[in-house]
PDB file of all heavy atoms in Angstrom:
ATOM      1  N   ILE A  20     -20.633  -0.480  21.655  1.00  0.00           N
ATOM      2  CA  ILE A  20     -20.145  -1.841  21.837  1.00  0.00           C
ATOM      3  C   ILE A  20     -18.848  -1.769  22.622  1.00  0.00           C
ATOM      4  O   ILE A  20     -17.927  -1.033  22.240  1.00  0.00           O
ATOM      5  CB  ILE A  20     -19.888  -2.528  20.477  1.00  0.00           C
ATOM      6  CG1 ILE A  20     -21.142  -2.489  19.598  1.00  0.00           C
ATOM      7  CG2 ILE A  20     -19.394  -3.959  20.675  1.00  0.00           C
ATOM      8  CD1 ILE A  20     -22.300  -3.306  20.104  1.00  0.00           C
ATOM      9  N   VAL A  21     -18.747  -2.518  23.726  1.00  0.00           N
ATOM     10  CA  VAL A  21     -17.553  -2.495  24.570  1.00  0.00           C
ATOM     11  C   VAL A  21     -16.980  -3.900  24.710  1.00  0.00           C
ATOM     12  O   VAL A  21     -17.675  -4.898  24.501  1.00  0.00           O
ATOM     13  CB  VAL A  21     -17.848  -1.912  25.975  1.00  0.00           C
ATOM     14  CG1 VAL A  21     -18.356  -0.480  25.867  1.00  0.00           C
ATOM     15  CG2 VAL A  21     -18.842  -2.785  26.726  1.00  0.00           C
ATOM     16  N   THR A  22     -15.713  -3.972  25.078  1.00  0.00           N
ATOM     17  CA  THR A  22     -15.088  -5.269  25.325  1.00  0.00           C
ATOM     18  C   THR A  22     -15.684  -5.878  26.592  1.00  0.00           C
ATOM     19  O   THR A  22     -16.007  -5.173  27.547  1.00  0.00           O
ATOM     20  CB  THR A  22     -13.567  -5.136  25.494  1.00  0.00           C
ATOM     21  OG1 THR A  22     -13.291  -4.253  26.601  1.00  0.00           O
ATOM     22  CG2 THR A  22     -12.935  -4.555  24.232  1.00  0.00           C
ATOM     23  N   LEU A  23     -15.843  -7.184  26.595  1.00  0.00           N
ATOM     24  CA  LEU A  23     -16.457  -7.874  27.728  1.00  0.00           C
ATOM     25  C   LEU A  23     -15.596  -7.777  28.980  1.00  0.00           C
ATOM     26  O   LEU A  23     -16.111  -7.738  30.100  1.00  0.00           O
ATOM     27  CB  LEU A  23     -16.708  -9.344  27.371  1.00  0.00           C
ATOM     28  CG  LEU A  23     -17.682 -10.113  28.270  1.00  0.00           C
ATOM     29  CD1 LEU A  23     -19.063  -9.462  28.264  1.00  0.00           C
ATOM     30  CD2 LEU A  23     -17.787 -11.569  27.813  1.00  0.00           C
ATOM     31  N   ASP A  24     -14.269  -7.718  28.805  1.00  0.00           N
ATOM     32  CA  ASP A  24     -13.369  -7.688  29.967  1.00  0.00           C
ATOM     33  C   ASP A  24     -12.915  -6.280  30.340  1.00  0.00           C
ATOM     34  O   ASP A  24     -12.112  -6.099  31.250  1.00  0.00           O
ATOM     35  CB  ASP A  24     -12.156  -8.593  29.742  1.00  0.00           C
ATOM     36  CG  ASP A  24     -11.340  -8.200  28.508  1.00  0.00           C
ATOM     37  OD1 ASP A  24     -11.620  -7.138  27.911  1.00  0.00           O
ATOM     38  OD2 ASP A  24     -10.424  -8.966  28.137  1.00  0.00           O
ATOM     39  N   GLY A  25     -13.413  -5.270  29.639  1.00  0.00           N
ATOM     40  CA  GLY A  25     -13.083  -3.890  29.978  1.00  0.00           C
ATOM     41  C   GLY A  25     -11.721  -3.426  29.526  1.00  0.00           C
ATOM     42  O   GLY A  25     -11.302  -2.304  29.839  1.00  0.00           O
ATOM     43  N   GLN A  26     -11.004  -4.252  28.762  1.00  0.00           N
ATOM     44  CA  GLN A  26      -9.688  -3.834  28.265  1.00  0.00           C
ATOM     45  C   GLN A  26      -9.844  -3.002  26.988  1.00  0.00           C
ATOM     46  O   GLN A  26     -10.864  -3.070  26.307  1.00  0.00           O
ATOM     47  CB  GLN A  26      -8.813  -5.068  28.014  1.00  0.00           C
ATOM     48  CG  GLN A  26      -8.449  -5.815  29.282  1.00  0.00           C
ATOM     49  CD  GLN A  26      -7.204  -6.654  29.102  1.00  0.00           C
ATOM     50  OE1 GLN A  26      -6.114  -6.160  28.852  1.00  0.00           O
ATOM     51  NE2 GLN A  26      -7.369  -7.970  29.239  1.00  0.00           N
ATOM     52  N   PRO A  27      -8.805  -2.240  26.621  1.00  0.00           N
ATOM     53  CA  PRO A  27      -8.911  -1.340  25.469  1.00  0.00           C
ATOM     54  C   PRO A  27      -9.111  -2.069  24.144  1.00  0.00           C
ATOM     55  O   PRO A  27      -8.749  -3.240  23.990  1.00  0.00           O
ATOM     56  CB  PRO A  27      -7.567  -0.603  25.470  1.00  0.00           C
ATOM     57  CG  PRO A  27      -7.036  -0.755  26.849  1.00  0.00           C
ATOM     58  CD  PRO A  27      -7.527  -2.082  27.332  1.00  0.00           C
ATOM     59  N   SER A  28      -9.677  -1.316  23.192  1.00  0.00           N
ATOM     60  CA  SER A  28      -9.884  -1.820  21.834  1.00  0.00           C
ATOM     61  C   SER A  28      -9.452  -0.755  20.838  1.00  0.00           C
ATOM     62  O   SER A  28      -9.585   0.444  21.098  1.00  0.00           O
ATOM     63  CB  SER A  28     -11.365  -2.162  21.612  1.00  0.00           C
ATOM     64  OG  SER A  28     -11.576  -2.689  20.316  1.00  0.00           O
ATOM     65  N   ALA A  29      -8.916  -1.190  19.693  1.00  0.00           N
ATOM     66  CA  ALA A  29      -8.473  -0.265  18.644  1.00  0.00           C
ATOM     67  C   ALA A  29      -9.233  -0.539  17.351  1.00  0.00           C
ATOM     68  O   ALA A  29      -9.674  -1.671  17.099  1.00  0.00           O
ATOM     69  CB  ALA A  29      -6.977  -0.395  18.408  1.00  0.00           C
ATOM     70  N   HIS A  30      -9.361   0.479  16.525  1.00  0.00           N
ATOM     71  CA  HIS A  30     -10.169   0.390  15.300  1.00  0.00           C
ATOM     72  C   HIS A  30      -9.602   1.363  14.259  1.00  0.00           C
ATOM     73  O   HIS A  30      -9.456   2.557  14.516  1.00  0.00           O
ATOM     74  CB  HIS A  30     -11.620   0.777  15.653  1.00  0.00           C
ATOM     75  CG  HIS A  30     -12.544   0.912  14.487  1.00  0.00           C
ATOM     76  ND1 HIS A  30     -13.470   1.934  14.397  1.00  0.00           N
ATOM     77  CD2 HIS A  30     -12.709   0.149  13.379  1.00  0.00           C
ATOM     78  CE1 HIS A  30     -14.167   1.797  13.284  1.00  0.00           C
ATOM     79  NE2 HIS A  30     -13.711   0.726  12.647  1.00  0.00           N
ATOM     80  N   PHE A  31      -9.227   0.815  13.107  1.00  0.00           N
ATOM     81  CA  PHE A  31      -8.781   1.623  11.969  1.00  0.00           C
ATOM     82  C   PHE A  31      -9.525   1.157  10.724  1.00  0.00           C
ATOM     83  O   PHE A  31      -9.773  -0.049  10.572  1.00  0.00           O
ATOM     84  CB  PHE A  31      -7.275   1.482  11.752  1.00  0.00           C
ATOM     85  CG  PHE A  31      -6.441   2.089  12.851  1.00  0.00           C
ATOM     86  CD1 PHE A  31      -6.088   1.353  13.978  1.00  0.00           C
ATOM     87  CD2 PHE A  31      -6.009   3.402  12.768  1.00  0.00           C
ATOM     88  CE1 PHE A  31      -5.323   1.905  14.987  1.00  0.00           C
ATOM     89  CE2 PHE A  31      -5.233   3.972  13.775  1.00  0.00           C
ATOM     90  CZ  PHE A  31      -4.890   3.220  14.889  1.00  0.00           C
ATOM     91  N   GLU A  32      -9.828   2.100   9.825  1.00  0.00           N
ATOM     92  CA  GLU A  32     -10.646   1.740   8.655  1.00  0.00           C
ATOM     93  C   GLU A  32     -10.233   2.543   7.425  1.00  0.00           C
ATOM     94  O   GLU A  32     -10.002   3.750   7.507  1.00  0.00           O
ATOM     95  CB  GLU A  32     -12.118   2.012   8.971  1.00  0.00           C
ATOM     96  CG  GLU A  32     -13.090   1.738   7.827  1.00  0.00           C
ATOM     97  CD  GLU A  32     -14.530   2.026   8.214  1.00  0.00           C
ATOM     98  OE1 GLU A  32     -14.752   2.743   9.222  1.00  0.00           O
ATOM     99  OE2 GLU A  32     -15.433   1.551   7.521  1.00  0.00           O
ATOM    100  N   HIS A  33     -10.166   1.848   6.292  1.00  0.00           N
ATOM    101  CA  HIS A  33      -9.938   2.480   4.994  1.00  0.00           C
ATOM    102  C   HIS A  33     -10.999   2.020   3.992  1.00  0.00           C
ATOM    103  O   HIS A  33     -11.527   0.904   4.093  1.00  0.00           O
ATOM    104  CB  HIS A  33      -8.576   2.076   4.419  1.00  0.00           C
ATOM    105  CG  HIS A  33      -7.443   2.977   4.797  1.00  0.00           C
ATOM    106  ND1 HIS A  33      -7.494   4.355   4.683  1.00  0.00           N
ATOM    107  CD2 HIS A  33      -6.188   2.697   5.250  1.00  0.00           C
ATOM    108  CE1 HIS A  33      -6.333   4.871   5.058  1.00  0.00           C
ATOM    109  NE2 HIS A  33      -5.531   3.892   5.414  1.00  0.00           N
ATOM    110  N   ASP A  34     -11.279   2.896   3.021  1.00  0.00           N
ATOM    111  CA  ASP A  34     -12.101   2.538   1.861  1.00  0.00           C
ATOM    112  C   ASP A  34     -11.154   2.137   0.733  1.00  0.00           C
ATOM    113  O   ASP A  34     -10.227   2.887   0.407  1.00  0.00           O
ATOM    114  CB  ASP A  34     -12.949   3.732   1.405  1.00  0.00           C
ATOM    115  CG  ASP A  34     -13.865   4.242   2.506  1.00  0.00           C
ATOM    116  OD1 ASP A  34     -14.155   3.472   3.439  1.00  0.00           O
ATOM    117  OD2 ASP A  34     -14.293   5.409   2.419  1.00  0.00           O
ATOM    118  N   VAL A  35     -11.398   0.973   0.147  1.00  0.00           N
ATOM    119  CA  VAL A  35     -10.467   0.417  -0.831  1.00  0.00           C
ATOM    120  C   VAL A  35     -11.236  -0.127  -2.037  1.00  0.00           C
ATOM    121  O   VAL A  35     -12.233  -0.834  -1.878  1.00  0.00           O
ATOM    122  CB  VAL A  35      -9.625  -0.728  -0.215  1.00  0.00           C
ATOM    123  CG1 VAL A  35      -8.456  -1.067  -1.131  1.00  0.00           C
ATOM    124  CG2 VAL A  35      -9.130  -0.372   1.171  1.00  0.00           C
ATOM    125  N   ALA A  36     -10.752   0.185  -3.229  1.00  0.00           N
ATOM    126  CA  ALA A  36     -11.328  -0.326  -4.481  1.00  0.00           C
ATOM    127  C   ALA A  36     -10.358  -1.318  -5.125  1.00  0.00           C
ATOM    128  O   ALA A  36      -9.148  -1.295  -4.854  1.00  0.00           O
ATOM    129  CB  ALA A  36     -11.599   0.825  -5.447  1.00  0.00           C
ATOM    130  N   ILE A  37     -10.894  -2.181  -5.958  1.00  0.00           N
ATOM    131  CA  ILE A  37     -10.035  -3.036  -6.780  1.00  0.00           C
ATOM    132  C   ILE A  37      -9.958  -2.403  -8.158  1.00  0.00           C
ATOM    133  O   ILE A  37     -10.954  -2.309  -8.878  1.00  0.00           O
ATOM    134  CB  ILE A  37     -10.559  -4.481  -6.866  1.00  0.00           C
ATOM    135  CG1 ILE A  37     -10.583  -5.113  -5.475  1.00  0.00           C
ATOM    136  CG2 ILE A  37      -9.684  -5.306  -7.810  1.00  0.00           C
ATOM    137  CD1 ILE A  37     -11.064  -6.556  -5.446  1.00  0.00           C
ATOM    138  N   VAL A  38      -8.753  -1.926  -8.510  1.00  0.00           N
ATOM    139  CA  VAL A  38      -8.508  -1.247  -9.785  1.00  0.00           C
ATOM    140  C   VAL A  38      -7.347  -1.954 -10.482  1.00  0.00           C
ATOM    141  O   VAL A  38      -6.276  -2.143  -9.888  1.00  0.00           O
ATOM    142  CB  VAL A  38      -8.165   0.243  -9.554  1.00  0.00           C
ATOM    143  CG1 VAL A  38      -7.836   0.920 -10.872  1.00  0.00           C
ATOM    144  CG2 VAL A  38      -9.317   0.957  -8.856  1.00  0.00           C
ATOM    145  N   ASP A  39      -7.567  -2.378 -11.711  1.00  0.00           N
ATOM    146  CA  ASP A  39      -6.551  -3.152 -12.445  1.00  0.00           C
ATOM    147  C   ASP A  39      -6.123  -4.380 -11.653  1.00  0.00           C
ATOM    148  O   ASP A  39      -4.941  -4.758 -11.625  1.00  0.00           O
ATOM    149  CB  ASP A  39      -5.330  -2.283 -12.779  1.00  0.00           C
ATOM    150  CG  ASP A  39      -5.650  -1.185 -13.782  1.00  0.00           C
ATOM    151  OD1 ASP A  39      -6.601  -1.375 -14.578  1.00  0.00           O
ATOM    152  OD2 ASP A  39      -4.977  -0.140 -13.766  1.00  0.00           O
ATOM    153  N   GLY A  40      -7.092  -4.952 -10.977  1.00  0.00           N
ATOM    154  CA  GLY A  40      -6.872  -6.207 -10.259  1.00  0.00           C
ATOM    155  C   GLY A  40      -6.242  -6.071  -8.891  1.00  0.00           C
ATOM    156  O   GLY A  40      -6.092  -7.065  -8.178  1.00  0.00           O
ATOM    157  N   LYS A  41      -5.866  -4.822  -8.495  1.00  0.00           N
ATOM    158  CA  LYS A  41      -5.117  -4.605  -7.261  1.00  0.00           C
ATOM    159  C   LYS A  41      -5.860  -3.634  -6.342  1.00  0.00           C
ATOM    160  O   LYS A  41      -6.702  -2.861  -6.799  1.00  0.00           O
ATOM    161  CB  LYS A  41      -3.726  -4.037  -7.581  1.00  0.00           C
ATOM    162  CG  LYS A  41      -2.855  -4.931  -8.462  1.00  0.00           C
ATOM    163  CD  LYS A  41      -1.531  -4.243  -8.791  1.00  0.00           C
ATOM    164  CE  LYS A  41      -1.751  -2.987  -9.620  1.00  0.00           C
ATOM    165  NZ  LYS A  41      -0.457  -2.376 -10.070  1.00  0.00           N
ATOM    166  N   PRO A  42      -5.488  -3.632  -5.040  1.00  0.00           N
ATOM    167  CA  PRO A  42      -6.143  -2.703  -4.117  1.00  0.00           C
ATOM    168  C   PRO A  42      -5.684  -1.268  -4.331  1.00  0.00           C
ATOM    169  O   PRO A  42      -4.502  -0.992  -4.479  1.00  0.00           O
ATOM    170  CB  PRO A  42      -5.710  -3.214  -2.741  1.00  0.00           C
ATOM    171  CG  PRO A  42      -4.430  -3.949  -2.980  1.00  0.00           C
ATOM    172  CD  PRO A  42      -4.552  -4.549  -4.352  1.00  0.00           C
ATOM    173  N   GLU A  43      -6.652  -0.371  -4.355  1.00  0.00           N
ATOM    174  CA  GLU A  43      -6.398   1.063  -4.479  1.00  0.00           C
ATOM    175  C   GLU A  43      -7.102   1.763  -3.319  1.00  0.00           C
ATOM    176  O   GLU A  43      -8.343   1.772  -3.243  1.00  0.00           O
ATOM    177  CB  GLU A  43      -6.925   1.582  -5.818  1.00  0.00           C
ATOM    178  CG  GLU A  43      -6.945   3.083  -5.982  1.00  0.00           C
ATOM    179  CD  GLU A  43      -5.596   3.692  -6.371  1.00  0.00           C
ATOM    180  OE1 GLU A  43      -4.644   2.925  -6.614  1.00  0.00           O
ATOM    181  OE2 GLU A  43      -5.502   4.924  -6.437  1.00  0.00           O
ATOM    182  N   ILE A  44      -6.327   2.331  -2.390  1.00  0.00           N
ATOM    183  CA  ILE A  44      -6.916   3.021  -1.247  1.00  0.00           C
ATOM    184  C   ILE A  44      -7.535   4.342  -1.704  1.00  0.00           C
ATOM    185  O   ILE A  44      -6.885   5.148  -2.370  1.00  0.00           O
ATOM    186  CB  ILE A  44      -5.857   3.289  -0.159  1.00  0.00           C
ATOM    187  CG1 ILE A  44      -5.395   1.973   0.476  1.00  0.00           C
ATOM    188  CG2 ILE A  44      -6.414   4.205   0.921  1.00  0.00           C
ATOM    189  CD1 ILE A  44      -4.416   2.148   1.611  1.00  0.00           C
ATOM    190  N   LEU A  45      -8.795   4.550  -1.338  1.00  0.00           N
ATOM    191  CA  LEU A  45      -9.487   5.786  -1.699  1.00  0.00           C
ATOM    192  C   LEU A  45      -9.404   6.820  -0.586  1.00  0.00           C
ATOM    193  O   LEU A  45      -9.423   8.017  -0.847  1.00  0.00           O
ATOM    194  CB  LEU A  45     -10.959   5.484  -2.010  1.00  0.00           C
ATOM    195  CG  LEU A  45     -11.211   4.414  -3.085  1.00  0.00           C
ATOM    196  CD1 LEU A  45     -12.713   4.251  -3.327  1.00  0.00           C
ATOM    197  CD2 LEU A  45     -10.483   4.749  -4.386  1.00  0.00           C
ATOM    198  N   SER A  46      -9.332   6.360   0.655  1.00  0.00           N
ATOM    199  CA  SER A  46      -9.190   7.246   1.815  1.00  0.00           C
ATOM    200  C   SER A  46      -7.701   7.381   2.136  1.00  0.00           C
ATOM    201  O   SER A  46      -6.862   6.756   1.495  1.00  0.00           O
ATOM    202  CB  SER A  46      -9.964   6.664   2.998  1.00  0.00           C
ATOM    203  OG  SER A  46      -9.624   5.302   3.211  1.00  0.00           O
ATOM    204  N   THR A  47      -7.388   8.203   3.131  1.00  0.00           N
ATOM    205  CA  THR A  47      -5.981   8.356   3.524  1.00  0.00           C
ATOM    206  C   THR A  47      -5.874   8.835   4.963  1.00  0.00           C
ATOM    207  O   THR A  47      -6.751   9.568   5.451  1.00  0.00           O
ATOM    208  CB  THR A  47      -5.240   9.354   2.606  1.00  0.00           C
ATOM    209  OG1 THR A  47      -3.862   9.405   2.993  1.00  0.00           O
ATOM    210  CG2 THR A  47      -5.833  10.751   2.691  1.00  0.00           C
ATOM    211  N   PHE A  48      -4.817   8.422   5.627  1.00  0.00           N
ATOM    212  CA  PHE A  48      -4.482   8.968   6.945  1.00  0.00           C
ATOM    213  C   PHE A  48      -3.517  10.142   6.830  1.00  0.00           C
ATOM    214  O   PHE A  48      -3.053  10.671   7.842  1.00  0.00           O
ATOM    215  CB  PHE A  48      -3.844   7.883   7.826  1.00  0.00           C
ATOM    216  CG  PHE A  48      -4.780   6.769   8.218  1.00  0.00           C
ATOM    217  CD1 PHE A  48      -4.297   5.474   8.359  1.00  0.00           C
ATOM    218  CD2 PHE A  48      -6.129   6.997   8.455  1.00  0.00           C
ATOM    219  CE1 PHE A  48      -5.137   4.435   8.730  1.00  0.00           C
ATOM    220  CE2 PHE A  48      -6.988   5.968   8.818  1.00  0.00           C
ATOM    221  CZ  PHE A  48      -6.490   4.686   8.965  1.00  0.00           C
ATOM    222  N   ALA A  49      -3.208  10.564   5.617  1.00  0.00           N
ATOM    223  CA  ALA A  49      -2.187  11.599   5.417  1.00  0.00           C
ATOM    224  C   ALA A  49      -2.547  12.916   6.107  1.00  0.00           C
ATOM    225  O   ALA A  49      -1.669  13.617   6.617  1.00  0.00           O
ATOM    226  CB  ALA A  49      -1.964  11.839   3.926  1.00  0.00           C
ATOM    227  N   TYR A  50      -3.836  13.278   6.129  1.00  0.00           N
ATOM    228  CA  TYR A  50      -4.248  14.525   6.777  1.00  0.00           C
ATOM    229  C   TYR A  50      -4.076  14.433   8.294  1.00  0.00           C
ATOM    230  O   TYR A  50      -3.697  15.403   8.952  1.00  0.00           O
ATOM    231  CB  TYR A  50      -5.694  14.862   6.415  1.00  0.00           C
ATOM    232  CG  TYR A  50      -5.893  15.126   4.943  1.00  0.00           C
ATOM    233  CD1 TYR A  50      -6.409  14.142   4.100  1.00  0.00           C
ATOM    234  CD2 TYR A  50      -5.550  16.355   4.380  1.00  0.00           C
ATOM    235  CE1 TYR A  50      -6.583  14.361   2.744  1.00  0.00           C
ATOM    236  CE2 TYR A  50      -5.720  16.599   3.026  1.00  0.00           C
ATOM    237  CZ  TYR A  50      -6.234  15.593   2.206  1.00  0.00           C
ATOM    238  OH  TYR A  50      -6.395  15.818   0.862  1.00  0.00           O
ATOM    239  N   VAL A  51      -4.367  13.250   8.839  1.00  0.00           N
ATOM    240  CA  VAL A  51      -4.133  13.014  10.264  1.00  0.00           C
ATOM    241  C   VAL A  51      -2.640  13.126  10.567  1.00  0.00           C
ATOM    242  O   VAL A  51      -2.223  13.798  11.520  1.00  0.00           O
ATOM    243  CB  VAL A  51      -4.661  11.631  10.691  1.00  0.00           C
ATOM    244  CG1 VAL A  51      -4.206  11.277  12.099  1.00  0.00           C
ATOM    245  CG2 VAL A  51      -6.178  11.588  10.595  1.00  0.00           C
ATOM    246  N   TYR A  52      -1.835  12.467   9.732  1.00  0.00           N
ATOM    247  CA  TYR A  52      -0.388  12.465   9.968  1.00  0.00           C
ATOM    248  C   TYR A  52       0.205  13.859   9.838  1.00  0.00           C
ATOM    249  O   TYR A  52       1.117  14.231  10.589  1.00  0.00           O
ATOM    250  CB  TYR A  52       0.295  11.499   8.999  1.00  0.00           C
ATOM    251  CG  TYR A  52      -0.026  10.049   9.235  1.00  0.00           C
ATOM    252  CD1 TYR A  52       0.212   9.094   8.256  1.00  0.00           C
ATOM    253  CD2 TYR A  52      -0.572   9.619  10.441  1.00  0.00           C
ATOM    254  CE1 TYR A  52      -0.080   7.752   8.464  1.00  0.00           C
ATOM    255  CE2 TYR A  52      -0.861   8.288  10.659  1.00  0.00           C
ATOM    256  CZ  TYR A  52      -0.618   7.357   9.668  1.00  0.00           C
ATOM    257  OH  TYR A  52      -0.909   6.038   9.888  1.00  0.00           O
ATOM    258  N   GLU A  53      -0.297  14.628   8.894  1.00  0.00           N
ATOM    259  CA  GLU A  53       0.187  16.002   8.739  1.00  0.00           C
ATOM    260  C   GLU A  53      -0.097  16.806  10.010  1.00  0.00           C
ATOM    261  O   GLU A  53       0.761  17.557  10.501  1.00  0.00           O
ATOM    262  CB  GLU A  53      -0.491  16.663   7.538  1.00  0.00           C
ATOM    263  CG  GLU A  53       0.012  18.066   7.248  1.00  0.00           C
ATOM    264  CD  GLU A  53      -0.665  18.677   6.034  1.00  0.00           C
ATOM    265  OE1 GLU A  53      -1.893  18.530   5.890  1.00  0.00           O
ATOM    266  OE2 GLU A  53       0.043  19.319   5.236  1.00  0.00           O
ATOM    267  N   ALA A  54      -1.285  16.620  10.573  1.00  0.00           N
ATOM    268  CA  ALA A  54      -1.658  17.344  11.788  1.00  0.00           C
ATOM    269  C   ALA A  54      -0.831  16.905  12.989  1.00  0.00           C
ATOM    270  O   ALA A  54      -0.511  17.719  13.864  1.00  0.00           O
ATOM    271  CB  ALA A  54      -3.150  17.139  12.072  1.00  0.00           C
ATOM    272  N   LEU A  55      -0.474  15.630  13.031  1.00  0.00           N
ATOM    273  CA  LEU A  55       0.233  15.078  14.187  1.00  0.00           C
ATOM    274  C   LEU A  55       1.751  15.055  14.006  1.00  0.00           C
ATOM    275  O   LEU A  55       2.476  14.635  14.904  1.00  0.00           O
ATOM    276  CB  LEU A  55      -0.266  13.655  14.463  1.00  0.00           C
ATOM    277  CG  LEU A  55      -1.755  13.517  14.818  1.00  0.00           C
ATOM    278  CD1 LEU A  55      -2.108  12.062  15.058  1.00  0.00           C
ATOM    279  CD2 LEU A  55      -2.122  14.367  16.030  1.00  0.00           C
ATOM    280  N   GLY A  56       2.229  15.475  12.832  1.00  0.00           N
ATOM    281  CA  GLY A  56       3.664  15.485  12.589  1.00  0.00           C
ATOM    282  C   GLY A  56       4.257  14.103  12.398  1.00  0.00           C
ATOM    283  O   GLY A  56       5.421  13.869  12.741  1.00  0.00           O
ATOM    284  N   ILE A  57       3.483  13.193  11.833  1.00  0.00           N
ATOM    285  CA  ILE A  57       3.925  11.813  11.599  1.00  0.00           C
ATOM    286  C   ILE A  57       4.335  11.655  10.137  1.00  0.00           C
ATOM    287  O   ILE A  57       3.640  12.114   9.230  1.00  0.00           O
ATOM    288  CB  ILE A  57       2.791  10.809  11.930  1.00  0.00           C
ATOM    289  CG1 ILE A  57       2.448  10.876  13.425  1.00  0.00           C
ATOM    290  CG2 ILE A  57       3.177   9.389  11.531  1.00  0.00           C
ATOM    291  CD1 ILE A  57       1.218  10.088  13.809  1.00  0.00           C
ATOM    292  N   THR A  58       5.460  10.994   9.905  1.00  0.00           N
ATOM    293  CA  THR A  58       5.910  10.676   8.554  1.00  0.00           C
ATOM    294  C   THR A  58       5.653   9.194   8.293  1.00  0.00           C
ATOM    295  O   THR A  58       6.017   8.350   9.113  1.00  0.00           O
ATOM    296  CB  THR A  58       7.407  10.971   8.386  1.00  0.00           C
ATOM    297  OG1 THR A  58       7.634  12.347   8.653  1.00  0.00           O
ATOM    298  CG2 THR A  58       7.863  10.647   6.956  1.00  0.00           C
ATOM    299  N   SER A  59       5.020   8.879   7.170  1.00  0.00           N
ATOM    300  CA  SER A  59       4.686   7.481   6.874  1.00  0.00           C
ATOM    301  C   SER A  59       4.595   7.269   5.369  1.00  0.00           C
ATOM    302  O   SER A  59       4.141   8.145   4.633  1.00  0.00           O
ATOM    303  CB  SER A  59       3.350   7.107   7.520  1.00  0.00           C
ATOM    304  OG  SER A  59       2.935   5.831   7.106  1.00  0.00           O
TER     305      SER A  59
END
C-alpha cells in the first residue's frame, strides 16, 4: 500500500492490554533503542 501522492509515510505499532483498567504495553521499543543508542 503506497501513498497516492508519493510522499513518505510512517508507521509505529504496539501491543497493549487493559490491566486494572489502564493500558499496559506488552511490546517495547527498548531493544531498538538499545541498538541505536537512544534514551527514552
Side-chain angles (χ1 to χ4, degrees):
I20 305 293
V21 300
T22 59
L23 196 60
D24 59 8
Q26 293 202 63
S28 182
H30 172 221
F31 292 88
E32 178 180 18
H33 270 311
D34 301 338
V35 193
I37 298 181
V38 177
D39 293 334
K41 300 177 296 186
E43 170 81 5
I44 292 183
L45 305 182
S46 51
T47 183
F48 293 146
Y50 296 100
V51 170
Y52 292 163
E53 184 179 43
L55 298 180
I57 296 171
T58 301
S59 172

